[in-house]
Amino acid sequence: MLNFRDRIQQQVFRVNGLSLNEFDLSQPPGDPGLYGPDSAVWQVHGDFPSMLCGGIAALLLQMQHPLALAGVWDHSTFREDMLGRLRRTSQFIAVTTFGNRADAQTLIERVKRIHLHITGTDADGVPYAASDPALLTWVHVAETCCFLAAHLRYRNPHLSLADQDRYYAEAALVAVALGARQVPSSVAEVAAYLQRMRPQLRCDARTREVLALLMNAPAPSWQGRPAMKAILLAGTELLPEWAQQGFSLRFSPLRRRVIRGRIRLIAALLRWAVRRGAYQRAMARMGR
Protein backbone atom coordinates (compact mmCIF):
# COMPACT_ATOMS: atom_id res chain seq x y z
CA MET A 1 0.00 0.00 0.00
CA LEU A 2 1.34 3.42 -0.93
CA ASN A 3 2.26 5.83 1.84
CA PHE A 4 1.02 9.43 1.93
CA ARG A 5 4.07 10.78 0.11
CA ASP A 6 3.85 8.22 -2.69
CA ARG A 7 0.11 8.78 -3.10
CA ILE A 8 0.71 12.48 -3.74
CA GLN A 9 3.42 11.67 -6.28
CA GLN A 10 1.06 9.24 -8.00
CA GLN A 11 -1.63 11.93 -8.22
CA VAL A 12 0.89 14.33 -9.80
CA PHE A 13 1.93 11.77 -12.41
CA ARG A 14 -1.71 11.33 -13.43
CA VAL A 15 -1.91 14.91 -14.68
CA ASN A 16 1.52 15.31 -16.29
CA GLY A 17 3.05 13.91 -19.44
CA LEU A 18 5.04 11.23 -17.63
CA SER A 19 1.79 9.26 -17.29
CA LEU A 20 1.89 8.61 -21.07
CA ASN A 21 4.97 6.39 -20.51
CA GLU A 22 6.22 7.00 -24.05
CA PHE A 23 9.70 8.37 -23.42
CA ASP A 24 12.26 7.35 -20.80
CA LEU A 25 13.88 10.49 -19.41
CA SER A 26 16.41 8.43 -17.45
CA GLN A 27 18.14 7.05 -20.58
CA PRO A 28 20.74 6.99 -22.06
CA PRO A 29 23.26 7.89 -19.34
CA GLY A 30 25.21 11.07 -19.99
CA ASP A 31 23.03 12.43 -22.82
CA PRO A 32 22.42 16.13 -21.97
CA GLY A 33 19.56 16.52 -24.43
CA LEU A 34 19.01 19.93 -25.99
CA TYR A 35 20.05 21.93 -22.91
CA GLY A 36 21.77 20.06 -20.09
CA PRO A 37 21.68 20.43 -16.31
CA ASP A 38 23.49 23.79 -16.14
CA SER A 39 20.98 25.53 -18.40
CA ALA A 40 18.50 28.18 -17.27
CA VAL A 41 15.75 26.15 -18.97
CA TRP A 42 16.38 23.17 -16.65
CA GLN A 43 16.32 25.55 -13.69
CA VAL A 44 13.01 27.20 -14.62
CA HIS A 45 11.23 24.11 -15.97
CA GLY A 46 12.53 21.92 -13.16
CA ASP A 47 10.05 23.17 -10.55
CA PHE A 48 6.80 21.31 -11.17
CA PRO A 49 4.45 23.40 -8.94
CA SER A 50 5.36 26.72 -10.53
CA MET A 51 5.23 25.14 -14.00
CA LEU A 52 1.67 24.01 -13.32
CA CYS A 53 0.60 27.57 -12.50
CA GLY A 54 2.55 28.95 -15.45
CA GLY A 55 1.02 26.41 -17.80
CA ILE A 56 -2.51 27.45 -16.88
CA ALA A 57 -1.66 31.12 -17.42
CA ALA A 58 0.08 30.30 -20.72
CA LEU A 59 -2.94 28.50 -22.16
CA LEU A 60 -5.25 31.40 -21.27
CA LEU A 61 -2.85 34.00 -22.67
CA GLN A 62 -2.35 32.01 -25.90
CA MET A 63 -6.13 31.80 -26.39
CA GLN A 64 -6.45 35.59 -26.46
CA HIS A 65 -4.95 35.46 -29.97
CA PRO A 66 -7.92 34.75 -32.25
CA LEU A 67 -5.92 32.58 -34.69
CA ALA A 68 -4.34 30.48 -31.91
CA LEU A 69 -7.80 30.07 -30.40
CA ALA A 70 -9.30 29.04 -33.74
CA GLY A 71 -6.70 26.34 -34.26
CA VAL A 72 -7.36 24.80 -30.85
CA TRP A 73 -11.12 25.25 -31.19
CA ASP A 74 -11.31 23.54 -34.58
CA HIS A 75 -8.70 20.81 -34.22
CA SER A 76 -8.29 19.94 -30.53
CA THR A 77 -10.26 17.63 -28.25
CA PHE A 78 -9.70 19.93 -25.27
CA ARG A 79 -13.43 20.44 -24.70
CA GLU A 80 -13.98 16.69 -24.28
CA ASP A 81 -10.57 15.79 -22.84
CA MET A 82 -8.99 18.73 -20.98
CA LEU A 83 -6.69 16.51 -18.91
CA GLY A 84 -5.52 14.72 -22.06
CA ARG A 85 -4.63 18.04 -23.66
CA LEU A 86 -2.72 19.11 -20.54
CA ARG A 87 -0.86 15.78 -20.44
CA ARG A 88 0.22 16.03 -24.09
CA THR A 89 1.42 19.61 -23.63
CA SER A 90 3.24 18.59 -20.45
CA GLN A 91 4.88 15.70 -22.30
CA PHE A 92 6.19 17.98 -25.04
CA ILE A 93 7.70 20.41 -22.53
CA ALA A 94 9.19 17.63 -20.38
CA VAL A 95 10.77 15.74 -23.28
CA THR A 96 12.10 18.76 -25.18
CA THR A 97 13.49 20.17 -21.92
CA PHE A 98 14.71 17.09 -20.07
CA GLY A 99 14.71 14.22 -22.58
CA ASN A 100 17.67 12.92 -24.51
CA ARG A 101 18.46 14.64 -27.80
CA ALA A 102 16.95 11.94 -30.05
CA ASP A 103 13.64 11.86 -28.17
CA ALA A 104 13.44 15.66 -28.13
CA GLN A 105 13.99 15.80 -31.89
CA THR A 106 11.44 13.01 -32.44
CA LEU A 107 8.77 14.94 -30.58
CA ILE A 108 9.59 18.23 -32.34
CA GLU A 109 9.26 16.53 -35.75
CA ARG A 110 5.98 14.90 -34.69
CA VAL A 111 4.49 18.24 -33.65
CA LYS A 112 5.68 19.86 -36.89
CA ARG A 113 3.86 17.17 -38.89
CA ILE A 114 0.69 17.67 -36.84
CA HIS A 115 0.86 21.44 -37.39
CA LEU A 116 0.80 20.96 -41.18
CA HIS A 117 -2.77 19.63 -40.93
CA ILE A 118 -4.07 22.39 -38.63
CA THR A 119 -5.49 25.02 -40.97
CA GLY A 120 -8.77 26.87 -41.33
CA THR A 121 -10.36 30.26 -40.75
CA ASP A 122 -11.17 31.96 -37.47
CA ALA A 123 -14.60 33.26 -36.40
CA ASP A 124 -14.11 36.36 -38.62
CA GLY A 125 -13.01 34.36 -41.66
CA VAL A 126 -9.30 35.12 -41.29
CA PRO A 127 -7.21 32.14 -42.47
CA TYR A 128 -4.80 30.48 -40.04
CA ALA A 129 -2.18 27.72 -40.11
CA ALA A 130 -0.54 26.23 -37.04
CA SER A 131 2.74 26.14 -38.99
CA ASP A 132 2.65 29.95 -39.48
CA PRO A 133 5.98 31.24 -38.05
CA ALA A 134 4.34 34.32 -36.53
CA LEU A 135 1.69 32.22 -34.77
CA LEU A 136 4.34 29.79 -33.49
CA THR A 137 6.26 32.76 -32.07
CA TRP A 138 3.15 33.98 -30.25
CA VAL A 139 2.43 30.57 -28.72
CA HIS A 140 6.04 30.25 -27.62
CA VAL A 141 6.33 33.72 -26.07
CA ALA A 142 2.99 33.42 -24.26
CA GLU A 143 4.18 30.12 -22.82
CA THR A 144 7.70 31.08 -21.76
CA CYS A 145 6.76 34.44 -20.25
CA CYS A 146 4.16 32.70 -18.06
CA PHE A 147 6.60 29.94 -17.04
CA LEU A 148 9.17 32.56 -16.03
CA ALA A 149 6.58 34.68 -14.20
CA ALA A 150 5.51 31.62 -12.21
CA HIS A 151 9.13 30.74 -11.39
CA LEU A 152 9.81 34.27 -10.16
CA ARG A 153 6.66 34.29 -8.01
CA TYR A 154 6.66 30.80 -6.58
CA ARG A 155 10.21 29.44 -6.81
CA ASN A 156 13.01 31.98 -7.09
CA PRO A 157 12.12 35.69 -7.04
CA HIS A 158 15.85 36.49 -6.99
CA LEU A 159 16.66 34.94 -10.38
CA SER A 160 19.00 37.48 -11.95
CA LEU A 161 18.07 39.47 -15.03
CA ALA A 162 21.02 37.86 -16.82
CA ASP A 163 19.62 34.39 -16.06
CA GLN A 164 16.15 35.48 -17.13
CA ASP A 165 17.62 36.64 -20.44
CA ARG A 166 19.51 33.35 -20.70
CA TYR A 167 16.26 31.45 -20.15
CA TYR A 168 14.54 33.22 -23.05
CA ALA A 169 17.56 32.79 -25.33
CA GLU A 170 17.80 29.06 -24.57
CA ALA A 171 14.05 28.39 -24.80
CA ALA A 172 13.97 29.99 -28.26
CA LEU A 173 15.85 26.93 -29.55
CA VAL A 174 12.73 24.72 -29.54
CA ALA A 175 10.54 27.50 -30.96
CA VAL A 176 12.91 27.97 -33.90
CA ALA A 177 13.09 24.19 -34.41
CA LEU A 178 9.28 24.16 -34.68
CA GLY A 179 9.39 26.92 -37.30
CA ALA A 180 9.05 30.15 -35.31
CA ARG A 181 10.93 33.18 -36.57
CA GLN A 182 12.20 36.42 -35.00
CA VAL A 183 11.76 34.90 -31.54
CA PRO A 184 12.34 37.39 -28.70
CA SER A 185 15.29 36.20 -26.63
CA SER A 186 15.54 38.56 -23.65
CA VAL A 187 13.30 40.09 -20.99
CA ALA A 188 13.30 43.43 -22.80
CA GLU A 189 12.54 41.86 -26.19
CA VAL A 190 9.67 39.79 -24.75
CA ALA A 191 8.15 42.86 -23.05
CA ALA A 192 8.33 44.85 -26.30
CA TYR A 193 6.87 41.95 -28.28
CA LEU A 194 3.89 41.56 -25.93
CA GLN A 195 3.23 45.29 -26.14
CA ARG A 196 3.20 45.09 -29.96
CA MET A 197 0.87 42.08 -29.91
CA ARG A 198 -1.78 43.50 -27.60
CA PRO A 199 -3.85 45.20 -30.35
CA GLN A 200 -4.26 41.78 -32.04
CA LEU A 201 -5.58 40.08 -28.91
CA ARG A 202 -9.17 39.81 -27.78
CA CYS A 203 -11.53 37.99 -25.47
CA ASP A 204 -14.82 36.83 -26.97
CA ALA A 205 -17.41 34.17 -26.14
CA ARG A 206 -15.07 31.38 -27.26
CA THR A 207 -12.16 32.67 -25.20
CA ARG A 208 -14.35 32.91 -22.11
CA GLU A 209 -15.62 29.38 -22.75
CA VAL A 210 -12.01 28.15 -22.69
CA LEU A 211 -11.61 29.88 -19.31
CA ALA A 212 -14.79 28.27 -17.98
CA LEU A 213 -13.79 24.82 -19.25
CA LEU A 214 -10.34 25.14 -17.74
CA MET A 215 -11.62 26.30 -14.36
CA ASN A 216 -13.95 23.30 -14.29
CA ALA A 217 -11.41 20.78 -15.55
CA PRO A 218 -11.72 17.45 -13.72
CA ALA A 219 -9.14 16.65 -11.04
CA PRO A 220 -7.29 13.31 -11.22
CA SER A 221 -9.09 12.30 -8.00
CA TRP A 222 -11.36 13.74 -5.35
CA GLN A 223 -8.38 14.08 -3.02
CA GLY A 224 -6.56 16.26 -5.53
CA ARG A 225 -9.53 18.50 -6.32
CA PRO A 226 -8.82 21.29 -3.76
CA ALA A 227 -5.18 21.60 -4.84
CA MET A 228 -6.13 21.62 -8.52
CA LYS A 229 -8.73 24.35 -7.95
CA ALA A 230 -6.12 26.44 -6.14
CA ILE A 231 -3.59 25.95 -8.96
CA LEU A 232 -6.14 26.88 -11.62
CA LEU A 233 -7.02 30.06 -9.73
CA ALA A 234 -3.33 30.90 -9.27
CA GLY A 235 -2.84 30.49 -13.01
CA THR A 236 -5.47 33.13 -13.77
CA GLU A 237 -3.99 35.44 -11.14
CA LEU A 238 -0.56 35.03 -12.75
CA LEU A 239 -1.72 36.55 -16.06
CA PRO A 240 -0.53 40.09 -16.88
CA GLU A 241 -2.93 42.71 -15.58
CA TRP A 242 -4.12 43.63 -19.08
CA ALA A 243 -4.83 39.98 -19.90
CA GLN A 244 -6.81 39.58 -16.66
CA GLN A 245 -8.90 42.59 -17.68
CA GLY A 246 -9.66 40.90 -20.99
CA PHE A 247 -11.28 38.06 -19.04
CA SER A 248 -12.99 40.55 -16.67
CA LEU A 249 -11.00 39.07 -13.79
CA ARG A 250 -10.62 41.17 -10.64
CA PHE A 251 -8.49 40.25 -7.63
CA SER A 252 -8.42 42.33 -4.48
CA PRO A 253 -5.05 42.64 -2.68
CA LEU A 254 -6.36 40.34 0.07
CA ARG A 255 -7.50 37.71 -2.40
CA ARG A 256 -4.12 37.82 -4.15
CA ARG A 257 -2.36 37.22 -0.83
CA VAL A 258 -4.65 34.29 -0.05
CA ILE A 259 -4.14 32.70 -3.50
CA ARG A 260 -0.36 33.07 -3.34
CA GLY A 261 -0.13 31.84 0.25
CA ARG A 262 -2.17 28.75 -0.59
CA ILE A 263 0.03 27.93 -3.60
CA ARG A 264 3.21 28.27 -1.54
CA LEU A 265 1.86 25.63 0.86
CA ILE A 266 0.81 23.33 -2.01
CA ALA A 267 4.15 23.85 -3.77
CA ALA A 268 6.08 22.90 -0.63
CA LEU A 269 4.02 19.72 -0.30
CA LEU A 270 4.51 18.78 -3.98
CA ARG A 271 8.26 19.43 -3.86
CA TRP A 272 8.49 17.13 -0.83
CA ALA A 273 6.40 14.40 -2.46
CA VAL A 274 7.65 14.32 -6.05
CA ARG A 275 10.99 12.53 -6.15
CA ARG A 276 10.86 11.00 -9.65
CA GLY A 277 9.69 13.92 -11.74
CA ALA A 278 11.14 14.89 -15.13
CA TYR A 279 13.91 17.01 -13.60
CA GLN A 280 14.98 14.29 -11.14
CA ARG A 281 15.02 11.60 -13.85
CA ALA A 282 17.09 13.78 -16.15
CA MET A 283 19.54 14.67 -13.38
CA ALA A 284 19.96 10.95 -12.61
CA ARG A 285 20.67 10.35 -16.32
CA MET A 286 23.43 12.91 -16.07
CA GLY A 287 24.85 11.31 -12.92
CA ARG A 288 24.00 14.33 -10.78
Side-chain angles (χ1 to χ4, degrees), residues 44 47 49-51 53-54 57 144-159 164 230-242 244 251-253 255-265 267-268 271:
V44 173
D47 184 54
S50 60
M51 286 291 285
C53 297
T144 51
C145 77
C146 289
F147 288 157
L148 184 57
H151 186 82
L152 292 170
R153 179 168 299 172
Y154 292 118
R155 185 55 174 169
N156 181 15
H158 306 296
L159 187 69
Q164 293 177 49
I231 289 165
L232 288 166
L233 191 59
T236 64
E237 195 264 335
L238 191 65
L239 285 166
E241 203 76 46
W242 51 265
Q244 290 180 21
F251 297 98
S252 69
R255 193 164 183 230
R256 290 186 188 276
R257 284 198 297 273
V258 169
I259 290 169
R260 296 177 190 186
R262 193 176 293 155
I263 290 300
R264 289 188 180 102
L265 289 174
R271 288 171 191 138

Side-chain angles (χ1 to χ4, degrees), residues 6-21 48 87 90 220 273-278 280-281:
D6 288 334
R7 285 202 303 271
I8 295 174
Q9 181 170 248
Q10 187 181 65
Q11 295 292 313
V12 167
F13 289 166
R14 284 185 185 175
V15 299
N16 74 11
L18 297 178
S19 64
L20 298 173
N21 292 318
F48 182 69
R87 284 189 195 103
S90 168
V274 177
R275 304 173 310 287
R276 293 194 63 252
Q280 290 90 346
R281 296 182 196 195

Side-chain angles (χ1 to χ4, degrees), residues 66-67 69-70 74 120-126 128 202 204 206:
L67 301 186
L69 173 63
D74 295 341
T121 55
D122 74 358
D124 293 331
V126 178
Y128 67 81
R202 67 164 185 245
D204 57 17
R206 283 180 167 187

Side-chain angles (χ1 to χ4, degrees), residues 65-86:
H65 192 300
L67 301 186
L69 173 63
V72 171
W73 194 271
D74 295 341
H75 296 272
S76 171
T77 60
F78 81 98
R79 278 167 286 179
E80 300 82 32
D81 184 22
M82 181 65 77
L83 277 181
R85 160 83 185 190
L86 294 175

Side-chain angles (χ1 to χ4, degrees), residues 15-18 20 45 51 54-56 58-59 62-63 72 76 78 81-97 107 111 139 143 147:
V15 299
N16 74 11
L18 297 178
L20 298 173
H45 292 185
M51 286 291 285
I56 299 302
L59 177 60
Q62 288 165 352
M63 294 303 96
V72 171
S76 171
F78 81 98
D81 184 22
M82 181 65 77
L83 277 181
R85 160 83 185 190
L86 294 175
R87 284 189 195 103
R88 290 186 294 275
T89 302
S90 168
Q91 180 195 52
F92 181 81
I93 294 161
V95 173
T96 55
T97 299
L107 209 43
V111 170
V139 169
E143 186 174 86
F147 288 157

